[in-house]
Amino acid sequence: DQQVKQNSPSLSVQEGRISILNCDYTNSMFDYFLWYKKYPAEGPTFLISISSIKDKNEDGRFTVFLNKSAKHLSLHIVPSQPGDSAVYFCAADSGGSNYKLTFGKGTLLTVNP
Amino acid sequence: DAMVIQNPRYQVTQFGKPVTLSCSQTLNHNVMYWYQQKSSQAPKLLFHYYDKDFNNEADTPDNFQSRRPNTSFCFLDIRSPGLGDAAMYLCATSRGRGKREKLFFGSGTQLSVL
């Protein structure tokens, strides 16, 4: 049973435009969310995170929005650059003694020059 | 640069033949994790070590074992690989445990089972 869902396997945008990557979750115990980026032949790297007490977190061109009532979060990249082309994983943490991140399947973002 | 290193990048084994994947880190992190990622699937946590304390996930098959002889190294042993164990295996580290701890991943080992 997938608790973190990234329903779009891929997304293609033009350079300079906005990229919006979506993530839905089902477990109401999740209270911290992260995005990781993965280039081919490399491991995932941390990108940005958000706590459930916030609805927005911004870091440069990257902004994550959280809608708790809808159990939905999104990653906005503005403006998109060709170097942003990668797989983006959404992950969620329920804290407590579980010490476990639950990942989505990832979305392949392609930014075309 | 401090990093998480996994060797080899590609590993081929035969059905039922034990195989060991290795991971080393220069970050001096307390926690080391092993994730399994099958094609087009989400990375799935198999187990983790917090220092020398081993923590197995409830749904990790007994076929999978791990060793952490020291802070820097962690091994994944698959005792009798089946065709369904073909996957990318990702090692990760974190300084501690907790929701704000970022994971640092290695590049992964792609395991093929023939």
Side-chain angles (χ1 to χ4, degrees):
Chain A
D1 178 33
Q2 263 191 282
Q3 298 186 65
V4 178
K5 301 178 184 178
Q6 294 179 257
N7 292 320
S8 298
S10 63
L11 174 68
S12 182
V13 299
Q14 287 298 119
E15 182 178 5
R17 306 294 289 269
I18 184 172
S19 296
I20 300 176
L21 296 96
N22 293 305
C23 179
D24 297 292
Y25 61 96
T26 58
N27 188 340
S28 58
M29 297 299 292
F30 289 147
D31 61 359
Y32 196 76
F33 304 89
L34 308 92
W35 286 91
Y36 281 80
K37 178 169 74 173
K38 183 185 183 303
Y39 292 119
E42 296 183 12
T45 56
F46 170 78
L47 183 60
I48 192 170
S49 62
I50 188 168
S51 167
S52 61
I53 62 173
K54 295 185 175 181
D55 55 16
K56 176 183 174 181
N57 189 28
E58 190 172 356
D59 184 3
R61 295 185 297 113
F62 302 90
T63 303
V64 57
F65 295 92
L66 175 62
N67 182 334
K68 282 182 291 184
S69 60
K71 292 191 177 67
H72 176 83
L73 64 156
S74 60
L75 175 67
H76 293 211
I77 307 174
V78 184
S80 301
Q81 299 174 354
D84 296 329
S85 298
V87 176
Y88 289 79
F89 290 99
C90 175
D93 192 331
S94 57
S97 61
N98 202 11
Y99 306 113
K100 177 178 176 178
L101 278 185
T102 301
F103 283 87
K105 292 183 178 181
T107 297
L108 173 62
L109 173 67
T110 303
V111 180
N112 301 302
Chain B
D1 287 340
M3 57 179 58
V4 181
I5 302 166
Q6 290 187 246
N7 285 308
R9 181 74 177 93
Y10 299 95
Q11 176 74 56
V12 180
T13 190
Q14 291 180 337
F15 183 94
K17 184 175 181 180
V19 65
T20 295
L21 309 182
S22 69
C23 177
S24 64
Q25 55 128 340
T26 59
L27 297 161
N28 202 33
H29 281 173
N30 291 313
V31 193
M32 296 187 77
Y33 308 80
W34 280 103
Y35 282 84
Q36 178 194 61
Q37 185 184 15
K38 296 185 178 179
S39 181
S40 301
Q41 298 297 311
K44 177 180 177 296
L45 181 64
L46 295 174
F47 26 58
H48 77 273
Y49 272 95
Y50 180 66
D51 196 11
K52 297 181 181 179
D53 182 31
F54 178 70
N55 297 267
N56 198 27
E57 292 299 303
D59 56 355
T60 297
D62 293 340
N63 199 26
F64 291 84
Q65 304 287 325
S66 186
R67 295 170 284 135
R68 189 179 186 187
N70 53 52
T71 300
S72 301
F73 286 88
C74 194
F75 300 98
L76 170 61
D77 300 308
I78 309 177
R79 293 190 298 184
S80 181
L83 298 179
D85 296 328
M88 172 69 77
Y89 290 88
L90 293 165
C91 174
T93 73
S94 63
R95 185 181 50 191
R97 293 189 297 196
K99 57 173 62 73
R100 297 188 181 274
E101 293 290 346
K102 299 169 192 168
L103 298 185
F104 293 79
F105 284 87
S107 300
T109 294
Q110 182 68 50
L111 177 68
S112 299
V113 181
L114 304 180

